[in-house]
Amino acid sequence: MFRKNYSDLELLYSFEMYRGKISKLKQFIPNCANKIGCIVMNCNPFTLGHRYLIEKALEEVEYLYIFVVEEDKSYFSFAQRLEMVKRGTLDLEKVLVIGSGKTILSAVTMSQYFGIKYTSESQEKKVS
């Protein structure tokens, strides 16, 4: 299970801390919400398409966690993307926007997603 570079150990240790953080967020979920969903989004940048997907997900659940990918391997930084999603969903009451941590989606858990085509240099060329 563990690799020689110990990245899995770090992943396991941060998992407990992240789980504690998520547990504290349960207080924001209304008691009447029985069907809770979650989506993971990179939002590089946040677009109307992302907003549409969030609205469609809200049609299926009573409360929605939006996990924004926390890696800084996109054109926009994690902080910028998190702020975009928060601002883009301000009017939605049944939504909580938070970072994904390393456990949900990261270069550790899904390295192929963060391959060469997602480096900031390659995205800089596409945006320019």
Side-chain angles (χ1 to χ4, degrees):
M1 177 176 167
F2 297 110
R3 296 183 189 125
K4 290 181 182 178
N5 66 9
Y6 300 104
S7 64
D8 290 331
L9 286 173
E10 194 280 325
L11 177 65
L12 289 172
Y13 288 129
S14 66
F15 174 74
E16 287 302 321
M17 187 173 62
Y18 189 72
R19 193 172 77 145
K21 177 182 170 182
I22 297 295
S23 293
K24 291 177 186 174
L25 297 174
K26 287 182 180 179
Q27 66 182 327
F28 297 108
I29 300 173
N31 290 333
C32 61
N34 293 317
K35 197 172 182 184
I36 301 168
C38 70
I39 53 179
V40 181
M41 304 180 114
N42 196 21
C43 300
N44 185 38
F46 183 75
T47 66
L48 292 176
H50 292 105
R51 171 65 189 226
Y52 174 79
L53 293 172
I54 292 166
E55 290 172 355
K56 292 309 267 181
L58 279 170
E59 291 175 9
E60 302 296 323
V61 298
E62 296 168 3
Y63 198 84
L64 183 67
Y65 284 103
I66 302 172
F67 294 101
V68 178
V69 174
E70 209 162 317
E71 290 282 356
D72 272 324
K73 295 183 181 275
S74 299
Y75 182 76
F76 293 95
S77 71
F78 163 66
Q80 291 171 318
R81 292 181 288 108
L82 183 68
E83 186 63 25
M84 283 187 252
V85 178
K86 285 183 175 181
R87 287 184 184 193
T89 58
L90 267 176
D91 60 316
L92 303 174
E93 294 178 18
K94 299 176 182 178
V95 165
L96 181 63
V97 179
I98 54 177
S100 67
K102 293 184 182 289
T103 310
I104 293 176
L105 181 71
S106 69
V108 174
T109 59
M110 197 169 167
S111 59
Q112 60 274 34
Y113 179 80
F114 297 99
I116 188 73
K117 65 181 178 175
Y118 290 100
T119 63
S120 59
E121 294 83 24
S122 67
Q123 290 190 19
E124 185 92 29
K125 291 175 189 173
K126 292 178 186 177
V127 173
S128 300

